[in-house]
Amino acid sequence: MVVLKREDYISIEKNPNGVCTIWMDQKDEKINKIGPDLIGLFESVFEELNADDSIKAFVLSSKKKDFIAGADIDAFAKVEKPGDWKPIARKGHEILNQIEKSKKPIVAAIHGNALGAGLEIAMACHARVLSNDKSTKVALPEVKLGLLPGGGGTQRLPRLVGLQAALDMMLTGKNVFAYPALKMGLADKVVHVSALQKVAQKFALELVDNPIKRERNELDIKAGFPSIQKSLTNIVLEAPLVNKIVFDQAKKMVDKQAHGNYPAPYKIMECVEIGWNQGIEKGYEAEVDRFEELILSPVSRQLINIFFAMTDKKKNPYGEDKVKQVDRLGMIGAGFMGAGIAEVSMNDGMHVLLKDINQDMISSAYKTIYDGYNKRVSKKAMSKIELEEKMALLSGSLNYEDLDNQEIIIEAVFEDLKLKQAILKDVEANAKPNTIFATNTSALPIKHIAANAKHPELVIGMHYFSPVPKMPLLEIVKTDKTADWVIATCYDVGVRQGKTVIVVHDGPGFYTTRILAPLMNEAQLLLDEGGDIQQIDREMNLFGFPVGPITLADEVGIDVGAHIMSGELMQELLSTRPKFKVSKTLLEISKAGYKGRKNKKGFYKYDEKGKKVSGQVDADIYSFYGGNTRKKFDANDIHMRCAMAMVNEAALCLQENIIESPLDGDIGAVFGLGFPPFRGGPFRYIDSVGAQKVVDILNDLTARFGERFEPAQILLDYAKSGKKFSDK
Ligand SMILES: NC(=O)c1ccc[n+]([C@@H]2O[C@H](COP(=O)([O-])OP(=O)(O)OC[C@H]3O[C@@H](n4cnc5c(N)ncnc54)[C@H](O)[C@@H]3O)[C@@H](O)[C@H]2O)c1
């Protein structure tokens, strides 16, 4: 164990009222992170201060913007074999138990994030006071890294807030703001940040004579899964039976979402169940064992890799010095994408002017954005005043003349090359010099849009994903002519909009649309060959894609899919790939009026409100695919045909320098297209399967289904050399 200098991490302030504040203040770091060594430091601090008779109670707080942002994930990466983690975990439990059992009350005063290990420490304290600031959030997000809360979280949380609410928090990893935390019993008081220390000290002193007696929260069916709530609210049952139902429901929910691909949620439930039924000590032991199992599992390794990559991507590779400050953004096209891009820009304080040809679209975008913010107000994540401030950043116009003082203009009009070229011309005529023109085209090569541009160095692609406020990726597309400062500035805008950004080279479909197209096409070919809509979707869910390819076609729009498959992207790709077989049926059904969810006419049935009718297929659509008699394909064939079509295309993109690194390829596929995160992205997937094995699979698919599966040269090279894409 490394011996840490206390003053580099902690400062002690003894107040005249007898309360000692222990400030966490990690030197040279923006945030406080908890690692095994730091936990050890706590032990000596508490031991020493407990012996000081002038101290009656403690407040644990932070001098940083966060309380504790979580565990030090670098420490996890050092765990290499069984036995590496268990002693560390046991020591952690011991020290948190020491905090919990302290005779002098300890109150956690929390402003900013208390995440993962941060919340676990706070839960070991005797009480928690939270600031009501919107930056204050508590969560146990370990599941997102394929892990479980390993510092007693699986035991303390259910006892504080009840089984349902605890499982809900741990299985989703979701953030909980201050007032909901108060309501569920995770916070004891919520106050304005200016009163936080004073209230926490007063509370700590009160607890000296009046400790809080916390009963194990047996029967809490107020919070948690609404479905469970519905089925239980009107019946009175024995607590053990209710608990069993709660566990069963949670397992069902996890099965539905994880399809057995993610072990962490199951291990979390096991720890909770063991601790709940057999006592907390057994629960702690279960946590220690299972945490180590998870941390050594390939799934958690892949998820942690993705986390590191995402953190790395926050740094601008084109240089902060090249970034031009953007305060004003013009948005041409106030449709579905335009409204979303406007909202995420306003989140970071940019002024947005929405320009459309249709006033109704502008009004509707206003409403969409207002409703989005209002939802946050109702969750108390934003105040009414902040909502008004945000909305004041937005204006609308039908005239190009108003686009004369923006630093960047993004267009998101219909996917039509001539229209986009005309818009670029109008922008060049009206915008101030050096205004960046970014296009949100899904697939049109940027160089074609910029073909007649006076300033092609200012033209760039900014490809967002729908729904923009939720989807984490921004794919920036540069041409040979795009200026570096333009790329740097767009990168900065993307990061400010909360996106993980990759920069790719121009080409038909860039990276993401290009690798999605062969997968979607393969699903169509399977249907052409007599496949079953639900089986194809289900199998791709089981493989790990959150949305199956047929459902995705309905969601994105069959017309959009058909447009892409029959348009410029495919034509240009096919000119270099004569062996590629394209299904024509999507175009046919699109011509017959099928658009998917948006016109309630797609592969699946929709009710009047556009909601899926419990997964029912619109059987009429089969007439385009050879009739109603469908056959079931071998599950592995579906997985491999669809997934390998995408993986091989990703390899071609690397070979052709569309993406600059395998890492960008993995991030783009995972964050933009839902490539199974536990597989790490196409390139980490190839590494884990082995390049030679991937080549063998592709050769087998080529022999059985056609030459479109011929392996990319780069795969053959990697197979031959035994190199891995993740090798540095
Ligand atoms: N919808 C998606 O999932 C998605 C994802 C990524 C990229 N895109 C791309 O984004 C673009 C927009 O897609 P969308 O789904 O938001 O479309 P949409 O139909 O919802 O919105 C298009 C908007 O452009 C406006 N418009 C049309 N001509 C205009 C003009 N001359 N000047 C100003 N406004 C004009 C329309 O009135 C409409 O409000 C397309 O290029 C699309 O390929 C869409």
Side-chain angles (χ1 to χ4, degrees), residues 171-469:
L171 296 176
T172 59
K174 71 179 185 186
N175 288 328
V176 177
F177 290 98
Y179 284 109
L182 181 68
K183 206 168 157 203
M184 73 202 290
L186 194 45
D188 297 282
K189 288 179 195 291
V190 172
V191 296
H192 190 269
V193 61
S194 59
L196 182 65
Q197 298 304 329
K198 219 168 154 189
V199 171
Q201 285 186 24
K202 188 162 170 272
F203 194 22
L205 284 175
E206 283 165 21
L207 296 182
V208 174
D209 297 321
N210 296 304
I212 304 176
K213 284 203 188 69
R214 296 193 195 269
E215 302 280 318
R216 175 166 117 158
N217 197 338
E218 277 288 354
L219 234 177
D220 175 13
I221 49 172
K222 284 185 234 83
F225 323 109
S227 54
I228 304 178
Q229 194 186 333
K230 228 184 254 168
S231 61
L232 293 181
T233 34
N234 295 325
I235 37 175
V236 180
L237 290 167
E238 292 280 315
L241 190 48
V242 174
N243 294 337
K244 186 176 175 320
I245 295 173
V246 171
F247 280 117
D248 287 351
Q249 292 271 12
K251 272 183 200 130
K252 260 194 209 150
M253 183 185 93
V254 169
D255 284 342
K256 203 170 150 204
Q257 285 175 7
H259 303 295
N261 289 325
Y262 295 88
Y266 297 96
K267 303 278 175 202
I268 289 173
M269 286 187 288
E270 283 167 26
C271 293
V272 175
E273 205 165 0
I274 290 170
W276 197 258
N277 294 332
Q278 300 174 32
I280 200 159
E281 291 305 325
K282 286 255 170 8
Y284 288 144
E285 246 339 273
E287 241 187 32
V288 170
D289 291 343
R290 284 161 180 74
F291 191 94
E292 191 173 86
E293 272 174 49
L294 288 176
I295 205 168
L296 291 169
S297 73
V299 171
S300 142
R301 295 276 146 168
Q302 297 290 28
L303 296 177
I304 288 175
N305 283 335
I306 291 174
F307 174 84
F308 281 137
M310 206 174 101
T311 314
D312 215 37
K313 283 274 158 200
K314 295 210 170 94
K315 270 183 257 139
N316 193 328
Y318 285 81
E320 304 291 344
D321 52 325
K322 293 209 182 76
V323 172
K324 189 168 149 191
Q325 175 66 20
V326 170
D327 296 317
R328 293 176 184 279
L329 182 146
M331 187 70 238
I332 304 184
F336 184 55
M337 297 302 285
I341 299 167
E343 181 179 329
V344 295
S345 310
M346 288 154 63
N347 284 346
D348 196 69
M350 290 177 230
H351 290 263
V352 177
L353 178 82
L354 280 174
K355 150 87 181 85
D356 205 289
I357 40 170
N358 183 342
Q359 181 58 45
D360 288 348
M361 292 304 287
I362 296 177
S363 308
S364 151
Y366 251 83
K367 186 171 177 322
T368 307
I369 297 170
Y370 184 90
D371 290 348
Y373 282 134
N374 215 11
K375 266 195 202 139
R376 289 200 227 170
V377 172
S378 54
K379 283 191 199 154
K380 302 225 180 300
M382 181 183 250
S383 70
K384 211 79 203 152
I385 295 171
E386 281 168 314
L387 178 149
E388 299 303 339
E389 281 169 4
K390 287 278 175 246
M391 290 310 291
L393 295 169
L394 188 62
S395 52
S397 173
L398 296 172
N399 303 315
Y400 276 104
E401 293 84 73
D402 293 327
L403 289 170
D404 61 352
N405 70 345
Q406 286 76 15
E407 291 84 28
I408 181 169
I409 289 172
I410 304 179
E411 74 74 21
V413 300
F414 307 129
E415 187 78 346
D416 177 320
L417 179 62
K418 292 242 150 49
L419 177 62
K420 287 184 193 284
Q421 286 174 335
I423 284 180
L424 170 55
K425 195 169 171 209
D426 282 334
V427 167
E428 285 193 329
N430 289 282
K432 64 179 179 183
N434 279 333
T435 300
I436 297 171
F437 180 86
T439 163
N440 177 47
T441 170
S442 320
L444 297 171
I446 311 303
K447 65 173 190 285
H448 293 348
I449 295 175
N452 309 317
K454 281 195 205 131
H455 292 286
E457 74 280 9
L458 298 175
V459 182
I460 193 164
M462 285 176 92
H463 181 206
Y464 294 85
F465 294 76
S466 83
V468 180

